[in-house]
Amino acid sequence: MFTGIIEATGKIVELTQKQGDLAIRIQSNNLDMKDVKLGDSIATNGVCLTVVAKHSDGFSADLSNETISLTGFAHYKKGQTVNLEKAMQPLSRLGGHLVSGHVDGIATVESISPNARATEYWLSTNSDLMKYIPYKGSVCIDGISLTVNEVEQNRFKLTIVPHTAEQTTIAEFQVGTQVNLEVDQIARYLERLIKGAEQPSRSDISMSLLAQAGFIK
């Protein structure tokens, strides 16, 4: 599990074909690897990767075809900068929101405009994912926990403060950039609760109960 609060950035220094899928090596001078063990998870642009080798300046991981097909790794190149976050510890602060590192799909940057010291980004994605992105809800973009400030049909707006831009790869985004998108887990679980299990079963959960609890309006 992750929080979406980026710890460091790194660069892809190796990205090679390996028996039908990909192997990757990430180099970072700012990510503390002292407490990382083989088999640990590191979110790389929001994608949960398993460490298969440790290096003094980073780590290596394997990318399955499933991961490649759903994420930006399908078009990443050697030298690309990525956001990095180690898996959270039970006693650490939850500064963002609960992020699994299981990317749901891709969003595309549609426009970028300044607003005082902040920068506003409009991104679009498909309708199947937009239904999980509410106004003032949380969304994870390339591993960064962000607040949705406006929603219109199949697109949403993010307002990025200078600190976030300085500490992540967001400043490198351009119109047309495709980013990894993970929606809020609560939204997905809530939909499942409303729809119920595939097999009919009695449940005390009703639409009125969810409304009383503030989950729906």
Side-chain angles (χ1 to χ4, degrees):
M1 276 316 237
F2 308 93
T3 67
I5 303 301
I6 304 304
E7 296 182 63
T9 58
K11 285 190 180 296
I12 299 175
V13 293
E14 292 179 17
L15 190 61
T16 56
Q17 293 284 339
K18 187 175 182 180
Q19 299 177 355
D21 49 35
L22 291 175
I24 189 171
R25 178 171 173 177
I26 304 293
Q27 183 183 70
S28 176
N29 296 321
N30 300 319
L31 188 69
D32 185 0
M33 296 291 294
K34 294 187 182 67
D35 60 347
V36 175
K37 305 184 295 296
L38 295 184
D40 282 356
S41 297
I42 297 179
T44 305
N45 262 16
V47 183
C48 179
L49 297 183
T50 300
V51 176
V52 299
K54 274 184 63 174
H55 312 291
S56 59
D57 60 351
F59 66 98
S60 294
D62 293 325
L63 297 170
S64 69
N65 284 321
E66 172 75 5
T67 297
I68 296 166
S69 68
L70 289 174
T71 71
F73 279 103
H75 57 78
Y76 288 176
K77 306 294 183 184
K78 182 178 176 180
Q80 176 153 348
T81 304
V82 291
N83 298 309
L84 301 172
E85 180 192 357
K86 295 184 289 187
M88 70 178 190
Q89 297 178 338
L91 297 180
S92 63
R93 292 185 178 90
L94 183 58
H97 70 285
L98 290 175
V99 176
S100 69
H102 302 157
V103 171
D104 293 296
I106 297 293
T108 302
V109 178
E110 283 199 341
S111 67
I112 305 172
S113 58
N115 185 346
R117 292 188 303 120
T119 305
E120 294 181 343
Y121 294 77
W122 277 97
L123 294 90
S124 63
T125 191
N126 63 65
S127 58
D128 288 342
L129 294 180
M130 277 303 302
K131 64 183 179 181
Y132 302 115
I133 304 176
Y135 171 66
K136 292 302 178 183
S138 295
V139 69
C140 188
I141 299 294
D142 272 0
I144 311 162
S145 174
L146 298 168
T147 301
V148 176
N149 289 318
E150 199 169 337
V151 174
E152 290 182 356
Q153 298 180 332
N154 70 329
R155 64 185 199 141
F156 58 97
K157 185 177 76 175
L158 306 171
T159 302
I160 307 303
V161 297
H163 177 79
T164 302
E166 292 166 3
Q167 299 299 317
T168 70
T169 60
I170 285 184
E172 300 177 10
F173 289 2
Q174 299 177 0
V175 173
T177 296
Q178 293 188 316
V179 296
N180 296 318
L181 169 66
E182 180 184 337
V183 300
D184 191 356
Q185 295 181 56
I186 294 176
R188 288 186 299 198
Y189 287 127
L190 181 57
E191 179 188 48
R192 182 62 177 164
L193 282 171
I194 293 173
K195 286 186 174 179
E198 292 182 5
Q199 297 297 326
S201 62
R202 184 182 180 280
S203 173
D204 292 328
I205 297 174
S206 64
M207 295 295 287
S208 61
L209 179 61
L210 291 171
Q212 289 175 4
F215 286 110
I216 58 175
K217 293 183 179 180

